[in-house]
Amino acid sequence: YPPERIRNFSIIAHVDHGKSTLADRLLELTGTIKRGHGQPQYLDKLQVERERGITVKAQTATMFHKYNLQGSSLDGSNEPQPFLLNLIDTPGHVDFSYEVSRSLAACQGALLVVDAAQGVQAQTVANFYLAFESNLTIIPVINKIDQPTADPDRIKDQLKSMFDLEPSDCLLTSAKTGQGLEHVLPAVIERIPPPPGEGSGLLRMLLLDSYYDEYKGVICHVAVVDGMLRKGDKISAAATGQTYDVLDVGFMHPELTQTGVLLTGQVGYVVTGMRSTKEARIGDTLFHAKTIVKPLPGFKAARHMVFSGLFPADGSDFEALNHAIERLTCNDASVSVTKESSTALGLGFRCGFLGLLHMDVFISDLNKEYGTHIISTVPTVPYIFEYSDGSKVEVQNPAALPSNSKQRVTASWEPTVLATIIIPILDSIDHVWCSQRAFMKYRLPLREIVVDFYNELKSITSGYASFDYEDSEYQQADLVKLDILLNGQAVDAMATIVHSLKAQRMGRELVDKLKKFIDRQMFEIIIQAAIGSKVVARETISAMRKNVLAKCYGGDITRKRKLLEKQKEGKKRMKRVGSVDIPQEAFHQLLKVS
Ligand code: GDP
Ligand code: MG
């Protein structure tokens, strides 16, 4: 397959607009996977992806398709020619926008899928601009035209006015019924240019993604930009300077299919002796060892925007948690992990994530796949503090900020995001519902969206609003550390950094929440919120007098047993801090205060 007969493209869409379904249909249409065979939505491999209906990890597949493109036949005959189509899937969420932009860098075109009823949503906008900035040919696909509420003409107008995409270029499809799908691959072949690149030049490959396989070790997805890669070659990675032997190379069809070689413009997998995916930096350039090439542009190290402390609910599980985190990070090198020790919670880990969804996915994997009960502390964003001696530090853990530091801090900054919110404005005219959309852009502190912003937006708009954000710069803010004290002892794992203006209210809310979730115990518990030595809120939980079993009046034995059982279960999920038992739930509830 010479580059003229290769097309590299991706599918981009707002969540639920049908990206995975369309991808599956294309794989079926080309015979890459069997119709209705195996797992639905081949490209969404991970369990949590299927549960959440979003694509977290990029998956990529090569398809073969015969097509009669005018002037493409080498011998002048009018026969259909075989084409190699690489569908480079992109993660479906803004937390991974860097990975999306790396995937797009290996493409020359993208299918922009838009739901025929919902129209342009926040992630449609974000994805469109990522593709547009990568200079891709964009093919608008209006999907789900089988729905009774579909209104393709309105969506065409929207695409024209928002992105200047021509109505006549829009494909109309239903990935569900198959309607219009026959036009998709011809459009890909006709409209998207073949990959550029120097076939005879020195090898340069873009590292798109990596994962860990029990048997083969680290498997890298790559796009060959220039030159050619063969099994047995020695290659180096620009970002790490490491050199490896190429042990295996081939296509993802979609299962790994050995070819022994990858040519200019082709996309496939490479197995080297890499020990961990941490060595495979997404966006890195791979090249033949001992050659001198200019690295491909755009490489960035992962930037962590949300941090949380993860602790075993039961201190003795530390090794199990350690092991579980090691295993998970084998497949997701974008999580940063450092050991942390907390007076309240013991030994644990401070983990850094690309964003909130990334954190949720990681913690739910950790809970599910390894069955470890963990306590996660209130997520925090990386703040910057400047001290009177002129030094600046990034604070990823509120506990690390000394409580009486206010005098020594001369300035502080917080990260912000540029948020896009799209909300329909509904009005009724002669019983016909028309919907227009309000398109809003805000600069918000990242902290605001870390705490439940998305859920609240969804609930106040009955699910109609869509939301997306991109990283923006740091802005100055007056920040203080808010401590929580139980019987006079600060609980380091409950400390947060907040705006000084909000500190009082936050303190009050946190104390009220805790009062609700900490059970009465044999002694009085005083809960306080404090800034430095100044107490801003206080509550008391009075001591308990009666035994739990006293309620049963000796009668029903099964009821008694149930109560004891329940008590035991509760114990498992308790954390003793000083002398006070705090249920795990209390830690979770703290997350919901903003
Ligand atoms: P993704 O989040 O963009 O990957 O969206 P999915 O492919 O997972 O699709 C989201 C939902 O829409 C699923 O329940 C699909 O079955 C459904 N869906 C996808 N394409 C169509 C379509 O053309 N018509 C209808 N009615 N439903 C569709
Ligand atoms: Mg999907």
Side-chain angles (χ1 to χ4, degrees):
Y1 291 91
E4 304 83 74
R5 278 197 270 116
I6 300 175
R7 298 293 181 270
N8 294 331
F9 70 105
S10 65
I11 306 179
I12 51 182
H14 187 77
V15 160
D16 268 357
H17 284 195
K19 173 176 130 166
S20 304
T21 314
L22 179 66
D24 274 5
R25 291 295 98 79
L26 297 182
L27 293 179
E28 284 169 10
L29 224 93
T30 53
T32 314
I33 56 172
K34 284 200 194 94
R35 184 162 182 126
H37 188 79
Q39 295 281 22
Q41 306 209 337
Y42 194 86
L43 290 167
D44 288 355
K45 273 187 183 158
L46 297 172
Q47 190 188 353
V48 342
E49 292 180 354
R50 213 165 287 131
E51 272 171 18
R52 286 165 190 251
I54 51 153
T55 312
V56 175
K57 253 339 222 171
Q59 297 290 337
T60 290
T62 295
M63 303 175 267
F64 303 97
H65 186 61
K66 282 201 165 164
Y67 185 70
N68 191 356
L69 177 68
Q70 290 300 314
S72 83
S73 101
L74 301 174
D75 56 7
S77 70
N78 215 11
E79 292 292 296
Q81 298 290 319
F83 281 81
L84 187 85
L85 306 177
N86 294 308
L87 170 55
I88 300 173
D89 198 14
T90 54
H93 193 273
V94 50
D95 282 2
F96 309 96
S97 72
Y98 169 64
E99 292 182 22
V100 175
S101 76
R102 290 305 83 204
S103 303
L104 295 181
C107 296
Q108 286 70 48
L111 299 172
L112 179 69
V113 177
V114 183
D115 183 306
Q118 285 191 16
V120 171
Q121 297 291 313
Q123 288 168 30
T124 319
V125 180
N127 284 315
F128 170 82
Y129 283 108
L130 284 174
F132 186 75
E133 282 155 19
S134 303
N135 288 317
L136 303 194
T137 300
I138 294 166
I139 302 175
V141 178
I142 300 175
N143 186 42
K144 305 202 190 183
I145 54 168
D146 60 288
Q147 298 173 106
T149 49
D151 186 356
D153 288 334
R154 183 171 58 82
I155 311 303
K156 282 182 188 174
D157 290 346
Q158 227 182 15
L159 291 169
K160 172 71 183 162
S161 68
M162 292 184 74
F163 308 132
D164 203 26
L165 294 168
E166 290 307 323
S168 58
D169 287 343
C170 293
L171 303 180
L172 302 185
T173 64
S174 165
K176 187 177 175 188
T177 66
Q179 203 184 341
L181 290 183
E182 67 280 11
H183 301 301
V184 177
L185 292 177
V188 166
I189 293 171
E190 302 258 2
R191 298 190 208 170
I192 297 175
E198 293 278 332
S200 55
L202 291 173
L203 173 72
R204 287 201 298 174
M205 298 192 287
L206 181 64
L207 205 163
L208 296 173
D209 194 10
S210 68
Y211 63 96
Y212 190 81
D213 178 276
E214 299 266 347
Y215 303 103
K216 290 181 180 265
V218 176
I219 297 180
C220 297
H221 290 179
V222 295
V224 179
V225 175
D226 299 316
M228 165 165 67
L229 176 77
R230 280 178 202 281
K231 185 174 169 174
D233 286 355
K234 267 198 184 333
I235 55 169
S236 297
T240 61
Q242 298 281 349
T243 296
Y244 306 96
D245 288 317
V246 175
L247 307 175
D248 186 11
V249 52
F251 291 155
M252 280 91 64
H253 186 50
E255 303 302 341
L256 305 186
T257 310
Q258 292 188 14
T259 60
V261 60
L262 282 177
L263 304 175
T264 306
Q266 296 184 347
V267 174
Y269 73 90
V270 180
V271 179
T272 66
M274 278 186 199
R275 293 267 200 75
S276 142
T277 53
K278 290 192 178 72
E279 296 172 52
R281 309 267 174 89
I282 291 178
D284 199 358
T285 303
L286 303 174
F287 54 98
H288 277 139
K290 301 209 172 91
T291 62
I292 295 171
V293 299
K294 201 168 149 226
L296 297 160
F299 176 75
K300 278 197 298 189
R303 193 157 159 239
H304 300 107
M305 299 308 286
V306 181
F307 293 84
S308 176
L310 304 182
F311 294 87
D314 170 358
S316 61
D317 280 347
F318 176 77
E319 272 315 313
L321 180 63
N322 188 10
H323 188 66
I325 288 180
E326 251 169 35
R327 285 206 52 177
L328 276 182
T329 50
C330 252
N331 255 327
D332 184 359
S334 55
V335 179
S336 74
V337 182
T338 47
K339 289 218 166 78
E340 176 178 355
S341 94
S342 149
T343 7
L345 299 178
L347 285 181
F349 301 89
R350 178 128 297 245
C351 295
F353 305 95
L354 302 174
L356 264 192
L357 174 85
H358 187 210
M359 179 180 82
D360 282 355
V361 168
F362 188 83
I363 293 178
S364 93
D365 278 2
L366 203 56
N367 272 320
K368 204 166 20 194
E369 300 197 22
Y370 300 95
T372 344
H373 288 302
I374 53 171
I375 292 178
S376 54
T377 62
V378 181
T380 188
V381 300
Y383 295 104
I384 292 174
F385 283 84
E386 187 187 69
Y387 294 96
S388 42
D389 65 359
S391 65
K392 274 189 191 175
V393 288
E394 186 180 281
V395 176
Q396 301 170 352
N397 183 357
L401 199 67
S403 293
N404 285 312
S405 63
K406 190 65 178 124
Q407 315 86 315
R408 291 176 48 230
V409 172
T410 47
S412 45
W413 289 266
E414 65 176 343
T416 65
V417 296
L418 211 52
T420 303
I421 300 172
I422 298 180
I423 301 180
I425 307 165
L426 292 168
D427 50 39
S428 125
I429 306 159
D430 286 341
H431 307 288
V432 180
W433 287 93
C434 289
S435 83
Q436 290 176 310
R437 274 161 173 85
F439 182 97
M440 294 173 276
K441 277 221 166 234
Y442 294 98
R443 197 145 89 95
L444 304 172
L446 174 61
R447 190 194 181 272
E448 296 297 322
I449 62 168
V450 164
V451 186
D452 228 27
F453 181 87
Y454 184 60
N455 283 338
E456 230 162 86
L457 178 72
K458 280 280 180 201
S459 87
I460 58 177
T461 62
S462 308
Y464 283 107
S466 69
F467 168 71
D468 202 353
Y469 65 90
E470 59 186 285
D471 296 348
S472 188
E473 59 231 52
Y474 270 76
Q475 75 182 12
Q476 199 151 8
D478 188 11
L479 302 166
V480 293
K481 181 183 181 190
L482 185 65
D483 280 311
I484 296 292
L485 295 89
L486 293 179
N487 285 346
Q489 191 187 344
V491 184
D492 58 354
M494 289 185 175
T496 50
I497 294 174
V498 296
H499 280 223
S500 67
L501 286 176
K502 277 189 164 182
Q504 175 108 27
R505 188 174 58 77
M506 281 274 300
R508 173 50 45 203
E509 275 186 51
L510 287 170
V511 166
D512 289 347
K513 269 262 153 74
L514 279 173
K515 180 172 185 181
K516 258 189 232 147
F517 283 89
I518 298 177
D519 291 330
R520 295 168 80 190
Q521 289 168 33
M522 300 310 287
F523 44 84
E524 188 183 70
I525 303 166
I526 297 164
I527 312 171
Q528 292 169 308
I531 302 164
S533 53
K534 189 176 142 228
V535 173
V536 295
R538 179 197 159 107
E539 281 291 338
T540 307
I541 302 176
S542 53
M544 171 170 71
R545 274 173 223 111
K546 283 186 200 119
N547 184 297
V548 215
L549 292 180
K551 285 184 210 154
C552 295
Y553 303 111
D556 184 350
I557 186 76
T558 54
R559 180 143 172 252
K560 226 187 231 178
R561 205 174 279 144
K562 257 190 201 149
L563 261 174
L564 280 172
E565 207 91 313
K566 228 177 162 183
Q567 213 185 23
K568 221 162 83 194
E569 211 171 90
K571 271 250 171 58
K572 252 196 284 179
R573 311 254 172 143
M574 291 280 186
K575 198 74 206 176
R576 175 160 288 182
V577 175
S579 52
V580 183
D581 283 331
I582 307 176
Q584 243 185 82
E585 182 60 16
F587 284 91
H588 291 301
Q589 288 302 319
L590 292 183
L591 309 186
K592 292 184 187 143
V593 176
S594 58

